[in-house]
Amino acid sequence: MPETDLAMLKAFEPYFEILEAYSTKAKNYINGHCTKYEPWQLIAWSVTWTLLVVWMYEFIFQPESLWSRLKRKCFKLIRKMPIIGRKSQEKLNKAKEDMNKTFLFFKVDKEYVKALPSRGLSAPEVLEKLKEYSSMDVLWQEGKASGTVYSGEQKLTELLVQAYGNFAWSNPLHPDVFPGLRKLEAEVVRMSCSLFNGGPDCCGCVTSGGTESILMACKAYRDLAYEKGIKTPEIVAPQSAHAAFDKAASYFGMKIVRVPLNKLMEVDVRAMRRAISRNTAMLVCSTPQFPHGVIDPVCEVAKLAVKYKIPLHVDACLGGFLIVFMEKAGYPLEKPFDFRVKGVTSISADTHKYGYAPKGSSVLLYSDKKYRRYQFFIDIYWQGGIYASPTIAGSRPGGIVAACWAALMYFGENGYVEATKQIIKTTRFLKSELENINGIFVLGDPQLSVIALGSCEFDIGHLFNMMTNKGWKLNLLQFFAILINFCITLVHTQKQVAVQFLKDIRESVTQIMKNPKAMVKGMGAIYGMAQATVDRKLVAELSSVFLDSLYSTDTVTGNHINGSPKPH
C-alpha cells in the first residue's frame, strides 16, 4: 500500500475508534433492552414491523398518487351524505338531461333496426339504405368541421375504395396466404421511416390509429422498464400530450406524471427534468400537441433522454405528415424533431390524417429494432400453436393497409409538399387575421395546422355556441382556460372557406361584446360546468352517459340546442 494511503488511514484512525465506541454502546443498549423478551417475541415483532413497512410502502407508492386517492375517497363519502348527495344527484341528472338535448346526432327520425331482416336484402336495397344513413351526416364538404376529414377529394376517394376492395378479404395475420399484403405493409413502414430520417436499423409497424400507436410505444417501454427492474414504470409527459398516454397508463398498469407547460404552451424542460425519477420508463414530446398546435422542444428533451438513458417518444400523430414536408414547402422549422435528434427512440404518425389514408391507419416507428421487440405479444404455450402478433389486434383489415399504401403512392412527395403549402398558408393567414380581432386571442405560437382561441373579455363558450349555430363544428378545450381550437385540413383550403370562417368569427364576437357577461348555455355551459367541478368523478359519470348513449337505439325526443362538437 502506498505511503500516502497509509498516512491517510492513520489520520482517520481516531474517528474510526470513536465510531466503534458508539456502535458498541448502541449494540449493548439494544441487547440489554431485548433481554426481557423471549426469542419468539423478537421474531414476531420483527415480522410484524417488516410487513407493516411493506404495506405502508405499497399504500403510499401506487400509480395513483396518495392525494388523488384521498380526494376520491372524500368525495365518495361526501356524496353519500343525505342532503349533499341528493342535491349532487339532482344536478347530475339535470346535466345528463341537458346532454341528451344538446347532442343533435341522437335525434333520429326513423326507427332503429333492432333485428336481422327475415329475408336478406338485395345489393341495391342495401346501398339505398346506406344512402339514408349517410344523408344524416353533417355537410363537412363545406369546410365547416374542424379536422375530422383531411382530404375528401373525389378521385382519391374512388382510388381508396378500389384499393380497399381489392384487398377486402385479406388479413396481415396470415402473411403466408397474403404475401402481397405483407409487402405493402412493409413498404408503408419503410417509406415512413425514410420520411422521418430513420437509419438502416429504423423499423416500425402499421396500427389502427394514433391511440394504438401510442399504446404500443408505451407497452414496449413498460416491458423494457420491467427488464431493467422497474416495478412501477412511469410515463413523463407534458400536460398537453394526448389522452392516449393516460389510456396506456390505465391499460398497462403504469403511472403517468404530467409536466406543466411554459408561457409559450411548450413543455417546461426544467420541470420535466425534475419529474424524472428512477421509475421513469419514457419521456414524451408532441409535434404538435393537439390542444394548442404548439411543437414541444424535442432537442432539449432529447438531451435529458440521453443523459438519463431513458427512451423518448415523439407523438407526431396529428401533424407528422405535415411536419416532414415543411422545409420543402417553404416553411422550415427552427429545430429538428425526428430521428436526426440523438435520443429520439420512437415516433408515432397518423397516415389517416395528413397522410390522407382512410380512417384506421397510423404508423409507429422505432430508431432501432431492439425497442420494437418489446411491443410484440408472443404466446408459445397456446394449444392452437405459437401465437405472435405485433400490435393489439390479431386479425387486421388488409384493405386499410392497401388503401394507406395507395394514398402514399398517389400523393408522392410533390403532392404532399403542395398540400402542406396550402394548409400552412391558410393556417397562417387565419392566425394573422384572428390576432387582429378585439376580444379574442390566439394562444401560444402555433406553427402547423391548429389554432387555439381564447378570450379575456367573455366566456369563450359564447363564441363556440354562436359558431355552432352558424354550422361550424369546432373543438372545446378545458383547464388552462376554456378555449376553442380549429384544425385546418385540405378541406379548409377551398375557396372562401377561410374568409367565411373569419367573417363568422367577427360577427359572433361583435354580437357577444354587446353583453359579454351573459350566461352561457349549451355545450359551452356543459364544458364550463365540467371545468368548475372539483369532483372529477362526476365529470367521468357524465362522459359515461355520453358513451352509453352512442349505442342507444331508443328514440330521443325534445328540443335540441347548440349542436355537438365533432372529434378531431
Side-chain angles (χ1 to χ4, degrees):
M1 184 178 290
E3 292 183 5
T4 53
D5 291 345
L6 287 172
M8 187 176 292
L9 283 174
K10 287 182 179 180
F12 278 99
E13 277 184 3
Y15 298 103
F16 289 143
E17 291 174 0
I18 294 171
L19 181 62
E20 185 179 1
Y22 275 106
S23 62
T24 303
K25 188 176 180 180
K27 181 177 66 174
N28 292 335
Y29 173 79
I30 293 172
N31 289 337
H33 185 72
C34 292
T35 54
K36 58 183 178 181
Y37 296 104
E38 294 184 24
W40 72 267
Q41 290 177 305
L42 293 174
I43 294 172
W45 275 110
S46 299
V47 171
T48 301
W49 276 104
T50 300
L51 292 175
L52 183 62
V53 169
V54 170
W55 179 84
M56 285 293 294
Y57 179 86
E58 292 182 349
F59 176 76
I60 296 172
F61 298 100
Q62 292 185 16
E64 184 182 4
S65 69
L66 179 60
W67 174 241
S68 176
R69 282 177 281 142
L70 286 174
K71 282 197 301 182
R72 180 160 49 81
K73 190 68 175 177
C74 287
F75 286 130
K76 188 175 182 180
L77 291 173
I78 290 171
R79 289 182 65 185
K80 287 183 177 180
M81 296 172 69
I83 299 175
I84 298 176
R86 186 171 62 252
K87 288 190 175 181
S88 175
Q89 191 60 45
E90 287 175 359
K91 287 190 175 183
L92 184 63
N93 293 337
K94 178 66 168 57
K96 290 177 181 179
E97 185 180 335
D98 289 344
M99 281 180 64
N100 285 330
K101 290 180 179 179
T102 299
F103 294 123
L104 281 172
F105 50 79
F106 290 141
K107 184 179 181 181
V108 178
D109 295 330
K110 297 186 178 181
E111 289 294 320
Y112 284 91
V113 175
K114 299 181 181 180
L116 284 172
S118 57
R119 178 189 63 82
L121 305 181
S122 65
E125 287 175 322
V126 171
L127 293 174
E128 189 61 33
K129 287 282 186 184
L130 287 174
K131 281 184 180 179
E132 294 179 9
Y133 287 81
S134 64
S135 66
M136 300 176 188
D137 297 345
V138 172
L139 293 176
W140 54 263
Q141 295 88 342
E142 297 176 358
K144 289 194 170 185
S146 171
T148 312
V149 178
Y150 289 77
S151 174
E153 179 196 340
Q154 186 59 36
K155 288 183 179 179
L156 175 61
T157 302
E158 292 170 0
L159 171 64
L160 298 181
V161 169
Q162 188 170 348
Y164 189 99
N166 290 342
F167 289 83
W169 298 104
S170 63
N171 183 353
L173 187 64
H174 305 289
D176 55 330
V177 181
F178 306 107
L181 178 63
R182 184 212 65 80
K183 184 172 183 288
L184 287 175
E185 185 167 21
E187 289 175 356
V188 168
V189 171
R190 183 48 51 192
M191 284 189 280
S192 301
C193 288
S194 299
L195 287 173
F196 286 92
N197 293 293
D201 293 325
C202 186
C203 61
C205 63
V206 176
T207 70
S208 62
T211 293
E212 188 181 7
S213 290
I214 290 170
L215 287 174
M216 288 290 89
C218 293
K219 190 268 182 189
Y221 295 139
R222 182 203 67 171
D223 288 2
L224 175 59
Y226 282 163
E227 192 173 275
K228 292 178 178 178
I230 298 173
K231 294 184 178 180
T232 308
E234 294 179 356
I235 303 167
V236 177
Q239 288 179 338
S240 55
H242 199 278
F245 290 101
D246 293 271
K247 180 182 276 191
S250 176
Y251 281 8
F252 302 140
M254 303 175 77
K255 178 181 178 181
I256 186 162
V257 180
R258 288 285 185 172
V259 180
L261 311 180
N262 59 26
K263 292 180 180 178
L264 296 176
M265 308 314 292
E266 302 169 344
V267 66
D268 186 325
V269 180
R270 290 184 177 180
M272 179 165 274
R273 184 186 62 203
R274 292 192 296 270
I276 293 174
S277 72
R278 62 182 181 180
N279 291 326
T280 302
M282 64 185 292
L283 304 179
V284 175
C285 279
S286 303
T287 58
Q289 35 99 319
F290 171 72
H292 320 110
V294 173
I295 298 173
D296 285 323
V298 175
C299 293
E300 286 80 355
V301 175
K303 290 177 182 176
L304 295 178
V306 172
K307 180 179 179 180
Y308 295 103
K309 298 180 181 179
I310 300 170
L312 168 59
H313 179 77
V314 173
D315 175 22
C317 286
L318 175 58
F321 281 82
L322 276 181
I323 200 169
V324 293
F325 300 107
M326 289 285 283
E327 186 172 351
K328 291 182 178 179
Y331 299 97
L333 298 171
E334 293 180 4
K335 297 178 181 179
F337 56 87
D338 53 22
F339 291 121
R340 290 172 293 178
V341 181
K342 184 180 179 182
V344 172
T345 55
S346 58
I347 299 173
S348 53
D350 287 359
T351 44
H352 68 201
K353 288 189 173 75
Y354 295 103
Y356 311 115
K359 285 295 182 183
S361 65
S362 174
V363 290
L364 171 59
L365 311 174
Y366 294 99
S367 61
D368 196 287
K369 291 178 182 177
K370 67 181 181 181
Y371 296 111
R372 183 176 62 177
R373 69 183 179 87
Y374 288 101
Q375 83 166 42
F376 296 157
F377 174 80
I378 301 172
D379 186 349
I380 58 175
Y381 299 108
W382 182 41
Q383 290 184 343
I386 297 173
Y387 180 90
S389 64
T391 57
I392 290 177
S395 292
R396 292 180 289 137
I400 291 292
V401 175
C404 177
W405 182 92
L408 295 174
M409 299 299 285
Y410 175 77
F411 271 84
E413 184 178 285
N414 65 324
Y416 282 115
V417 169
E418 182 57 35
T420 301
K421 282 181 182 177
Q422 294 180 41
I423 290 168
I424 301 303
K425 181 181 178 181
T426 301
T427 304
R428 296 196 176 181
F429 165 70
L430 286 171
K431 177 177 177 286
S432 64
E433 293 294 317
L434 290 166
E435 287 175 333
N436 293 323
I437 298 177
N438 292 328
I440 60 174
F441 61 84
V442 174
L443 197 67
D445 182 24
Q447 298 180 56
L448 293 182
S449 59
V450 176
I451 298 173
L453 299 175
S455 176
C456 296
E457 308 294 330
F458 57 85
D459 189 322
I460 204 71
H462 284 301
L463 182 58
F464 176 85
N465 288 340
M466 293 194 75
M467 291 296 285
T468 299
N469 291 334
K470 292 178 183 290
W472 295 92
K473 303 298 179 184
L474 308 180
N475 302 292
L476 271 174
L477 312 178
Q478 62 173 346
F479 291 125
F480 177 75
I482 296 182
L483 304 168
I484 293 174
N485 88 351
F486 187 44
C487 181
I488 292 88
T489 71
L490 273 179
V491 182
H492 305 114
T493 64
Q494 298 175 97
K495 190 177 181 181
Q496 296 301 311
V497 172
V499 173
Q500 185 63 48
F501 178 76
L502 292 169
K503 178 177 178 290
D504 289 345
I505 286 281
R506 290 190 182 102
E507 288 179 356
S508 299
V509 171
T510 301
Q511 183 66 29
I512 293 167
M513 290 302 289
K514 293 178 180 178
N515 185 15
K517 302 302 180 183
M519 184 178 292
V520 182
K521 297 181 179 180
M523 274 301 299
I526 290 174
Y527 260 71
M529 180 204 70
Q531 175 153 311
T533 302
V534 179
D535 184 359
R536 306 306 292 174
K537 180 71 175 176
L538 292 174
V539 181
E541 284 188 34
L542 284 175
S543 300
S544 296
V545 170
F546 168 77
L547 293 176
D548 282 335
S549 300
L550 294 178
Y551 298 95
S552 173
T553 53
D554 298 327
T555 303
V556 178
T557 58
N559 297 323
H560 294 256
I561 57 174
N562 301 324
S564 63
K566 290 286 181 180
H568 74 276

